[in-house]
Amino acid sequence: MMTRHAIIFCWVLAIGLALFLLLPLVVIAAASFSPTPVFDLPLSGASLRWYGRIGRLDGFWPSLSLSLQIAVLSTALSLVAGTLAAIAIARGRLPGATALGTLLVSPLMMPGLVLGIALLQYFRMIGFTATWSALLVAHLVVTLPYVARTMIAGLSRFDFTLIEAARTLGCTYAGSVIRVMVPALAPSFLISGLFSLLASFDNYPVSIFLTDVRSKTLPIRMLQYIEEAPDPTLAALSTLILAGTLVLLLISDRLVGLHRMAGTAD
């Protein structure tokens, strides 16, 4: 058994690591209130002027709209395709099911730049030049592993005899799935959808190879802006994105509970 000193050391180490990981976010949030046009902590005062400039950034609204469209649609498609694939792997007797599950999550093991270059070359080879559609397909490749991995883990603990029991009570197969399986797997759906949405919205290394001059996602537009005119406006925008992520986590906690989501992700 661990001694008291060892437990205290582990707690101190865990708190120190958490602070180390969160400190850059705190610095960015503090810099967004800088009264001067440089990335500086507002030690002598604070200002909200940079938040007011967010909406006036060149190309901000089209980029935000594009990122939201791609993120929401790719997440929805990933939830459908990833869940069906997970059911086939967990429930069916497919030859090579383990290899198929590994193949579904393989994009997570590849560097984003390599995946982006590979998709660019593939789209060029088949003559696929539609930017919006190319981004959607690429983000589907990025988000599908999150759904597949989480749903396979969730379905491995689901008792499929409950569906058969519901059918004996008069439910159709589709009705039993909706009434029995979907509520039981709500944490899996929520955590996989949340990860997929954030991974798509924040994706840069794959999107950079597939955008053009007129269609740029928000992360690419932000990087372009910081190269042209670095000021705390981007810190303010980053703080708003961070706040939105925290709101999503709070909503998830209220709907399902973070402890159940953490258990689903194991």
Side-chain angles (χ1 to χ4, degrees), residues 43-60:
L43 300 178
S44 59
S47 174
L48 296 175
R49 58 183 290 194
W50 309 113
Y51 287 89
R53 290 193 58 191
I54 292 176
R56 299 193 298 270
L57 291 178
D58 183 31
F60 168 75

mmCIF file of all heavy atoms in Angstrom, residues 43-60:
data_model
loop_
_atom_site.group_PDB
_atom_site.id
_atom_site.type_symbol
_atom_site.label_atom_id
_atom_site.label_comp_id
_atom_site.label_asym_id
_atom_site.label_seq_id
_atom_site.Cartn_x
_atom_site.Cartn_y
_atom_site.Cartn_z
ATOM 1 N N LEU A 43 -1.211 44.165 -16.819
ATOM 2 C CA LEU A 43 -0.838 44.411 -15.434
ATOM 3 C C LEU A 43 -1.307 45.777 -14.945
ATOM 4 O O LEU A 43 -1.566 45.965 -13.759
ATOM 5 C CB LEU A 43 0.689 44.307 -15.284
ATOM 6 C CG LEU A 43 1.292 42.938 -15.652
ATOM 7 C CD1 LEU A 43 2.797 42.977 -15.511
ATOM 8 C CD2 LEU A 43 0.698 41.841 -14.794
ATOM 9 N N SER A 44 -1.407 46.742 -15.862
ATOM 10 C CA SER A 44 -1.794 48.092 -15.457
ATOM 11 C C SER A 44 -3.236 48.416 -15.795
ATOM 12 O O SER A 44 -3.700 49.516 -15.517
ATOM 13 C CB SER A 44 -0.876 49.115 -16.154
ATOM 14 O OG SER A 44 -0.968 48.979 -17.573
ATOM 15 N N GLY A 45 -3.970 47.502 -16.390
ATOM 16 C CA GLY A 45 -5.356 47.752 -16.763
ATOM 17 C C GLY A 45 -5.858 46.686 -17.702
ATOM 18 O O GLY A 45 -5.117 45.796 -18.106
ATOM 19 N N ALA A 46 -7.116 46.758 -18.046
ATOM 20 C CA ALA A 46 -7.725 45.771 -18.936
ATOM 21 C C ALA A 46 -8.624 46.477 -19.931
ATOM 22 O O ALA A 46 -9.137 47.571 -19.667
ATOM 23 C CB ALA A 46 -8.521 44.743 -18.133
ATOM 24 N N SER A 47 -8.802 45.853 -21.082
ATOM 25 C CA SER A 47 -9.620 46.431 -22.135
ATOM 26 C C SER A 47 -10.329 45.319 -22.901
ATOM 27 O O SER A 47 -9.783 44.223 -23.072
ATOM 28 C CB SER A 47 -8.758 47.255 -23.104
ATOM 29 O OG SER A 47 -9.522 47.706 -24.209
ATOM 30 N N LEU A 48 -11.557 45.628 -23.362
ATOM 31 C CA LEU A 48 -12.329 44.691 -24.167
ATOM 32 C C LEU A 48 -12.309 45.072 -25.649
ATOM 33 O O LEU A 48 -13.075 44.514 -26.434
ATOM 34 C CB LEU A 48 -13.786 44.652 -23.678
ATOM 35 C CG LEU A 48 -14.008 44.119 -22.254
ATOM 36 C CD1 LEU A 48 -15.477 44.249 -21.881
ATOM 37 C CD2 LEU A 48 -13.567 42.666 -22.141
ATOM 38 N N ARG A 49 -11.399 45.945 -26.040
ATOM 39 C CA ARG A 49 -11.378 46.448 -27.410
ATOM 40 C C ARG A 49 -11.117 45.347 -28.424
ATOM 41 O O ARG A 49 -11.644 45.384 -29.535
ATOM 42 C CB ARG A 49 -10.309 47.543 -27.556
ATOM 43 C CG ARG A 49 -8.916 47.084 -27.183
ATOM 44 C CD ARG A 49 -7.877 48.191 -27.253
ATOM 45 N NE ARG A 49 -7.612 48.592 -28.623
ATOM 46 C CZ ARG A 49 -6.561 49.332 -28.980
ATOM 47 N NH1 ARG A 49 -5.689 49.728 -28.042
ATOM 48 N NH2 ARG A 49 -6.366 49.656 -30.233
ATOM 49 N N TRP A 50 -10.316 44.342 -28.045
ATOM 50 C CA TRP A 50 -9.958 43.285 -29.000
ATOM 51 C C TRP A 50 -11.121 42.336 -29.232
ATOM 52 O O TRP A 50 -11.216 41.735 -30.309
ATOM 53 C CB TRP A 50 -8.728 42.540 -28.500
ATOM 54 C CG TRP A 50 -7.611 43.465 -28.147
ATOM 55 C CD1 TRP A 50 -7.090 43.707 -26.914
ATOM 56 C CD2 TRP A 50 -6.897 44.322 -29.051
ATOM 57 N NE1 TRP A 50 -6.099 44.647 -26.975
ATOM 58 C CE2 TRP A 50 -5.954 45.043 -28.281
ATOM 59 C CE3 TRP A 50 -6.966 44.557 -30.417
ATOM 60 C CZ2 TRP A 50 -5.092 45.973 -28.840
ATOM 61 C CZ3 TRP A 50 -6.107 45.483 -30.987
ATOM 62 C CH2 TRP A 50 -5.181 46.179 -30.204
ATOM 63 N N TYR A 51 -11.990 42.180 -28.263
ATOM 64 C CA TYR A 51 -13.192 41.374 -28.477
ATOM 65 C C TYR A 51 -14.132 42.051 -29.471
ATOM 66 O O TYR A 51 -14.820 41.376 -30.237
ATOM 67 C CB TYR A 51 -13.910 41.131 -27.147
ATOM 68 C CG TYR A 51 -13.192 40.147 -26.252
ATOM 69 C CD1 TYR A 51 -12.221 40.586 -25.349
ATOM 70 C CD2 TYR A 51 -13.464 38.789 -26.303
ATOM 71 C CE1 TYR A 51 -11.552 39.691 -24.524
ATOM 72 C CE2 TYR A 51 -12.807 37.892 -25.487
ATOM 73 C CZ TYR A 51 -11.849 38.351 -24.598
ATOM 74 O OH TYR A 51 -11.187 37.452 -23.791
ATOM 75 N N GLY A 52 -14.165 43.365 -29.431
ATOM 76 C CA GLY A 52 -14.999 44.094 -30.372
ATOM 77 C C GLY A 52 -14.495 44.030 -31.804
ATOM 78 O O GLY A 52 -15.263 44.245 -32.752
ATOM 79 N N ARG A 53 -13.216 43.717 -31.972
ATOM 80 C CA ARG A 53 -12.636 43.659 -33.315
ATOM 81 C C ARG A 53 -12.778 42.297 -33.973
ATOM 82 O O ARG A 53 -12.477 42.152 -35.163
ATOM 83 C CB ARG A 53 -11.146 44.009 -33.256
ATOM 84 C CG ARG A 53 -10.838 45.468 -32.949
ATOM 85 C CD ARG A 53 -9.383 45.760 -33.241
ATOM 86 N NE ARG A 53 -9.060 45.458 -34.643
ATOM 87 C CZ ARG A 53 -7.809 45.417 -35.119
ATOM 88 N NH1 ARG A 53 -6.793 45.619 -34.296
ATOM 89 N NH2 ARG A 53 -7.575 45.142 -36.378
ATOM 90 N N ILE A 54 -13.221 41.300 -33.224
ATOM 91 C CA ILE A 54 -13.266 39.944 -33.770
ATOM 92 C C ILE A 54 -14.158 39.889 -35.010
ATOM 93 O O ILE A 54 -13.782 39.334 -36.050
ATOM 94 C CB ILE A 54 -13.756 38.949 -32.701
ATOM 95 C CG1 ILE A 54 -12.709 38.813 -31.597
ATOM 96 C CG2 ILE A 54 -14.048 37.586 -33.328
ATOM 97 C CD1 ILE A 54 -13.129 37.925 -30.458
ATOM 98 N N GLY A 55 -15.348 40.451 -34.904
ATOM 99 C CA GLY A 55 -16.285 40.396 -36.021
ATOM 100 C C GLY A 55 -15.833 41.168 -37.238
ATOM 101 O O GLY A 55 -16.383 40.972 -38.334
ATOM 102 N N ARG A 56 -14.839 42.046 -37.073
ATOM 103 C CA ARG A 56 -14.359 42.852 -38.201
ATOM 104 C C ARG A 56 -13.093 42.286 -38.835
ATOM 105 O O ARG A 56 -12.523 42.922 -39.723
ATOM 106 C CB ARG A 56 -14.094 44.295 -37.730
ATOM 107 C CG ARG A 56 -15.338 45.000 -37.192
ATOM 108 C CD ARG A 56 -15.103 46.483 -37.040
ATOM 109 N NE ARG A 56 -14.048 46.786 -36.089
ATOM 110 C CZ ARG A 56 -14.255 46.966 -34.784
ATOM 111 N NH1 ARG A 56 -15.482 46.840 -34.280
ATOM 112 N NH2 ARG A 56 -13.252 47.258 -33.975
ATOM 113 N N LEU A 57 -12.645 41.125 -38.375
ATOM 114 C CA LEU A 57 -11.488 40.497 -39.001
ATOM 115 C C LEU A 57 -11.806 40.146 -40.450
ATOM 116 O O LEU A 57 -12.918 39.726 -40.775
ATOM 117 C CB LEU A 57 -11.086 39.231 -38.246
ATOM 118 C CG LEU A 57 -10.491 39.414 -36.847
ATOM 119 C CD1 LEU A 57 -10.201 38.059 -36.223
ATOM 120 C CD2 LEU A 57 -9.226 40.250 -36.893
ATOM 121 N N ASP A 58 -10.828 40.296 -41.298
ATOM 122 C CA ASP A 58 -11.008 40.026 -42.723
ATOM 123 C C ASP A 58 -11.329 38.541 -42.950
ATOM 124 O O ASP A 58 -10.534 37.666 -42.617
ATOM 125 C CB ASP A 58 -9.730 40.401 -43.486
ATOM 126 C CG ASP A 58 -9.876 40.204 -44.983
ATOM 127 O OD1 ASP A 58 -11.004 40.356 -45.485
ATOM 128 O OD2 ASP A 58 -8.868 39.884 -45.641
ATOM 129 N N GLY A 59 -12.520 38.275 -43.498
ATOM 130 C CA GLY A 59 -12.933 36.906 -43.808
ATOM 131 C C GLY A 59 -13.335 36.080 -42.607
ATOM 132 O O GLY A 59 -13.444 34.855 -42.726
ATOM 133 N N PHE A 60 -13.580 36.717 -41.447
ATOM 134 C CA PHE A 60 -13.884 35.952 -40.239
ATOM 135 C C PHE A 60 -15.205 35.197 -40.365
ATOM 136 O O PHE A 60 -15.255 33.976 -40.125
ATOM 137 C CB PHE A 60 -13.933 36.884 -39.032
ATOM 138 C CG PHE A 60 -14.508 36.248 -37.793
ATOM 139 C CD1 PHE A 60 -13.766 35.347 -37.060
ATOM 140 C CD2 PHE A 60 -15.802 36.542 -37.377
ATOM 141 C CE1 PHE A 60 -14.293 34.742 -35.930
ATOM 142 C CE2 PHE A 60 -16.332 35.951 -36.248
ATOM 143 C CZ PHE A 60 -15.576 35.052 -35.519
#
